[in-house]
Structures are given as C-alpha cells and as structure tokens.
Amino acid sequence: MERKTKTVLVLILAIAMTIMTLTTGCSSKQASNGGSDGKTSISLWLYPIGSFSDKKTVDSFISKFNEQEPDIEVRVDYLDYVDGDEQVSAAIEEGTTPDVIMEGPERLVANWGAKGEMADIGDLWTDSSLKDINNTSSVIANACMGADGKYYEYPLCITAHCMAINYEVFQKAGALKYIDLKNRTWSTADFIKACRAVRDSGLVQTPGVVYCGGQGGDQGTRALVTNFYGASFTNSDHTKYMINQPKGIKALNKLYEMSQSGLLSSNGEMVASDELKMFASGTTAMTFAWNASNQKVYAANADFTPYVMAFPTDSGKPKLCSGIWGFGIFDNKDAARKKAAEKLIRFLCDDEEQAPVSVRATGLFPVKSSLGNVYYGTDDEERMSSYSQMMNYIGDYYNITPGWTAQRTAWWTMLQQVFTGTDPKAAADKFVDLSNKAAE
C-alpha cells in the first residue's frame, strides 16, 4: 500500500511540473511579443538621418503611430556613424538585433541582407508602391533588392549628392562664364579653366580640396573621379570594381596634375566634414561633399551664396551619386514583431499625413512621386528647389556592390597614394584588386 501511494505522488508531481513548464513556455513567448498585457513590443534603431536623430521629433512620430496602433510599443535607440556599425555587429553576434533599423541599401541590402540577417519585406512592395517609387527613379527599387531577389529595404527618401561653389568668389574671379548657370553644369575643360581663374584671383586659399583622410564624404571624391572623363566605378551588374580602366586613370592623372599646379589641393588627413567647414568659412571656393542636409548643417549662416552644381564631366551628362534611406527589419524569427514592425514602416513611409512629415524630417526628397513637393509653402521651399534640379542627374546606384565596406577604406588609401606621387595606374590596380577580392 505504501509503495502504491509513492507511485501516485510521483505521477502527481510529474504532471504538476509539466503544467508549470507549459505555462512558463507560454509566458516566455508572450514576453518576446511585449508581455502578457496584449501589447507587442518592438525596437527601432536610427542612424542620424536629419531630424530622425532628434528624440523630441521621433517621440512625436511614435505618439502619432500609437494613436493608430495603441497595442504596439516602440522602443527607440539612436546610433551614430562613429561606432553605430560596431553596435549592430555586436547585436548580430549576441542575437539582440532590433526589429526595425533606418539606413541605406549599402548596409541593409549589400551588407546585412547579403549575410542573411534581414527579413524579406516584399509584402510592403505592393504594385501601387512599386509604381509610385519607380516614377521617381527605377534605380531605387533595384537598390532595395538583394541579389536573391528579395526586398530588404522599404525606402522613404532620396537625395543627389552634388558639389557647390562660392558664387561671389566665382563672380569676382570672372569664372561664372565657364558654367551653364541654367542647368548648373560644366564641362571638365571649363571646370579646369574656372579653377585657374579662381586660383589667379587670390580670393581664396585654394579653389578646392580633394580630401582623402577617411571614408567620410567619399561619394564626393568618387563622383569627381568618375564624372571627369566618364569612367565607370563598377560593372553594370555590380559585381566588380573597375576604376582602373583608361578613363579612370586619365581622371586621376589630371586631378594630380591640377593639385601640383595649385588648381586644386589635396589633403591626406582631411575628411568631408573638414572640407565643408573650409568651404563654409570662405577658405575654399568649392566643396565636393554637398547636399541639402550639409547646407543646413554647415552653411546655414554663410556670408556668401553656396551655389549648387553638378560635377564636371567630359560627356556633358553628369551622373551623380545618390543617397537612399529607408527601413529594414532584422529577421528575429518572431511573426508578431515582424507584423508590428511592418505597420510602423507603413505609417512612417505611406501614411497620407505622416509620410510628408517623415520626409521633411530627413531634409531630403520623397521616393514616392505621389507625395509631390513636400517643401511647398515651407521655409525650405526656395532652398530645396536647386537641389531638386540635381535629381535629374542621378546615376547608377552601385553602392550595393559586394565588398562595399572594404572598398571604402581602399578608396581613400588609393587617393592618398595618387596625390603623394604614386603612379595612378599602379594605385588604381591595387584598389581594384583589393576591392574585388573583398567582393568575392
């Protein structure tokens, strides 16, 4: 009888432990979705893209979102470009990646997407949104899609990276005659003549500086080199780097010659932010790292007119580098959180009232043509009009080429070598070799 009682007690204990395990497992699953209060909790990480770096602005966006979706809790963290990539890499290793992250295709698609870390968000790309976005530029949709045919980014805004001149200096130096002021373009030959006129005027320390102290603003130096004589930075299917072709070498040679004769300067310790400060202070007559956001940050109170320009080109058809920013979702294997994350992205990018506000917060342009001129009637309307003209010159978005991160370091290292006397062909060959090995 005693033995039978013990057996029953053991069975009762086993059943109780099973029930506790099932209950605990259920609670754990609820917690991953935000707890037992029925809410789904998701995290949003933001790189400093315009006012998306401002907590007060973002908090107002989340509050409006919660008016529509009260059962979704959004926790926000702010990254920077100094150690933001390291924070994301650490989160990937530790399995603590955010649900939503805001950045561009070179990170969301070519880096994390290619490594299998991002969720496929193709369901956000409806037929209507695809048509709307392609009406602005078909480049955008292609940039947001990985090599596997899956979409890893849903875009919000776009800009064309350009250059700018000090209008008054060019005017006094007699250099405006070398510019097509209506189209804001110039030929390579006229650019050289303009630099000579500015140099000879003695109005500034140097006409312009080719900065190569780091990757900051490297889109400017790439555009300068590729546009000069029409070189291609990569092949058309974005699998190999090819700046060491004859047109690229010709451009590097000519820019080196210009630096030797004082038509330009070069600086192996300077990054774009340094060059922008020189331009804003009137020390130089041009900048190669210009866009609408940089004008607002660096030259809002400049005592001259920063005149927006396309890069000089021998073909007469400039091809500007563009910047695309939007949102991606890390594949955290949680369907409820992914669904909530997609709702947040739809709100920020597609909501009739919020989408224009979101774009204005970036200080850039909408990827959706249906949004029209989001700056109409605002204080920024006049300032942004000149940048909208640059959108007509957007070229290929090659930033999604594999090995992009390694290429960026190799690029400024190559420029340092060229401007300190290394044979441009040898330097470019080494750059291409290193970058293509990284791409493989």
Side-chain angles (χ1 to χ4, degrees), residues 261-289:
S261 60
L263 299 183
L264 289 174
S265 297
S266 64
N267 193 312
E269 297 181 354
M270 184 179 291
V271 294
S273 59
D274 303 313
E275 185 247 25
L276 285 162
K277 290 173 185 175
M278 289 184 69
F279 176 66
S281 68
T283 307
T284 65
M286 64 182 72
T287 172
F288 302 120

Side-chain angles (χ1 to χ4, degrees), residues 354-375:
Q354 178 61 37
V357 177
S358 296
V359 174
R360 284 196 295 271
T362 67
L364 306 173
F365 295 95
V367 295
K368 290 194 169 185
S369 59
S370 61
L371 292 181
N373 182 2
V374 299
Y375 296 99

Side-chain angles (χ1 to χ4, degrees), residues 170 173-175 177-178 192-202 263:
F170 267 64
K177 62 185 177 184
Y178 300 116
I192 295 171
K193 292 175 184 176
C195 287
R196 183 174 291 111
V198 171
R199 180 202 64 184
D200 294 345
S201 73
L263 299 183

Side-chain angles (χ1 to χ4, degrees), residues 110-415:
N111 188 356
W112 306 319
K115 293 176 181 177
E117 302 295 340
M118 306 302 291
D120 179 4
I121 54 175
D123 51 343
L124 290 173
W125 285 83
T126 62
D127 289 342
S128 60
S129 65
L130 182 61
K131 182 179 179 181
D132 201 356
I133 291 169
N134 277 341
N135 277 344
T136 298
S137 172
S138 59
V139 168
I140 301 171
N142 293 334
C144 293
M145 180 187 289
D148 55 5
K150 296 178 181 179
Y151 284 107
Y152 294 118
E153 177 169 351
Y154 193 68
L156 170 66
C157 58
I158 184 172
T159 194
H161 296 297
C162 55
M163 61 179 295
I165 63 168
N166 183 319
Y167 188 90
E168 286 76 14
V169 166
F170 267 64
Q171 187 176 47
K172 292 175 183 176
L176 288 179
K177 62 185 177 184
Y178 300 116
I179 295 174
D180 179 343
L181 293 173
K182 179 182 178 181
N183 295 304
R184 297 174 183 265
T185 58
W186 43 6
S187 68
T188 299
D190 282 338
F191 171 76
I192 295 171
K193 292 175 184 176
C195 287
R196 183 174 291 111
V198 171
R199 180 202 64 184
D200 294 345
S201 73
L203 293 168
V204 289
Q205 181 177 308
T206 178
V209 180
V210 180
Y211 49 88
C212 44
Q215 69 181 31
D218 54 359
Q219 74 281 348
T221 52
R222 289 197 309 271
L224 178 64
V225 173
T226 54
N227 275 279
F228 230 59
Y229 294 114
S232 295
F233 195 70
T234 71
N235 58 2
S236 59
D237 59 358
H238 306 136
T239 57
K240 291 185 180 298
Y241 297 89
M242 52 184 297
I243 199 64
N244 62 338
Q245 299 301 306
K247 290 180 180 179
I249 302 304
K250 184 179 179 181
L252 290 169
N253 263 314
K254 177 57 70 174
L255 290 167
Y256 171 71
E257 290 174 6
M258 292 178 70
S259 72
Q260 292 300 104
S261 60
L263 299 183
L264 289 174
S265 297
S266 64
N267 193 312
E269 297 181 354
M270 184 179 291
V271 294
S273 59
D274 303 313
E275 185 247 25
L276 285 162
K277 290 173 185 175
M278 289 184 69
F279 176 66
S281 68
T283 307
T284 65
M286 64 182 72
T287 172
F288 302 120
W290 206 238
N291 55 42
S293 178
N294 282 348
Q295 179 178 353
K296 200 169 184 179
V297 172
Y298 291 95
N301 300 311
D303 59 0
F304 62 89
T305 305
Y307 194 79
V308 177
M309 287 291 300
F311 284 88
T313 177
D314 201 38
S315 68
K317 298 178 180 179
K319 295 180 179 180
L320 304 185
C321 296
S322 60
I324 302 170
W325 288 271
F327 300 90
I329 298 175
F330 275 99
D331 189 7
N332 288 322
K333 312 298 182 185
D334 191 312
R337 283 161 57 191
K338 182 174 185 285
K339 184 178 179 180
E342 288 182 341
K343 287 182 177 181
L344 175 62
I345 293 173
R346 283 190 188 279
F347 171 75
L348 292 170
C349 299
D350 294 346
D351 183 83
E352 187 175 337
E353 292 185 5
Q354 178 61 37
V357 177
S358 296
V359 174
R360 284 196 295 271
T362 67
L364 306 173
F365 295 95
V367 295
K368 290 194 169 185
S369 59
S370 61
L371 292 181
N373 182 2
V374 299
Y375 296 99
Y376 179 76
T378 70
D379 293 339
D380 287 325
E381 182 179 3
E382 183 178 353
R383 182 176 66 87
M384 294 300 288
S385 64
S386 58
Y387 293 100
S388 65
Q389 195 171 352
M390 294 295 107
M391 299 291 285
N392 298 321
Y393 304 133
I394 285 178
D396 180 31
Y397 195 90
Y398 48 69
N399 307 38
I400 53 175
T401 306
W404 187 255
T405 301
Q407 170 278 137
R408 296 186 76 184
T409 298
W411 174 253
W412 58 262
T413 302
M414 180 202 71
L415 290 180

Side-chain angles (χ1 to χ4, degrees), residues 11-148:
L11 286 171
I12 292 172
L13 181 61
I15 292 170
M17 290 180 67
T18 300
I19 293 172
M20 288 177 66
T21 300
L22 289 172
T23 303
T24 303
C26 182
S27 297
S28 176
K29 187 174 181 180
Q30 287 177 339
S32 72
N33 291 335
S36 58
D37 58 358
K39 288 191 174 184
T40 299
S41 181
I42 60 174
S43 55
L44 167 66
W45 285 13
L46 300 169
Y47 278 83
I49 302 159
S51 294
F52 272 88
S53 61
D54 178 62
K55 185 178 185 302
K56 184 178 179 180
T57 298
V58 175
D59 284 349
S60 70
F61 294 171
I62 301 303
S63 294
K64 291 177 183 176
F65 172 66
N66 285 142
E67 290 175 8
Q68 296 184 14
E69 301 289 345
D71 292 332
I72 299 176
E73 178 186 62
V74 183
R75 306 183 311 277
V76 184
D77 285 294
Y78 299 88
L79 306 176
D80 57 41
Y81 286 114
V82 177
D83 54 14
D85 290 355
E86 293 179 6
Q87 289 177 256
V88 175
S89 295
I92 289 173
E93 291 180 9
E94 297 166 6
T96 57
T97 48
D99 297 289
V100 186
I101 189 163
M102 183 182 193
E103 232 299 302
E106 53 266 46
R107 287 179 172 83
L108 301 185
V109 180
N111 188 356
W112 306 319
K115 293 176 181 177
E117 302 295 340
M118 306 302 291
D120 179 4
I121 54 175
D123 51 343
L124 290 173
W125 285 83
T126 62
D127 289 342
S128 60
S129 65
L130 182 61
K131 182 179 179 181
D132 201 356
I133 291 169
N134 277 341
N135 277 344
T136 298
S137 172
S138 59
V139 168
I140 301 171
N142 293 334
C144 293
M145 180 187 289
D148 55 5

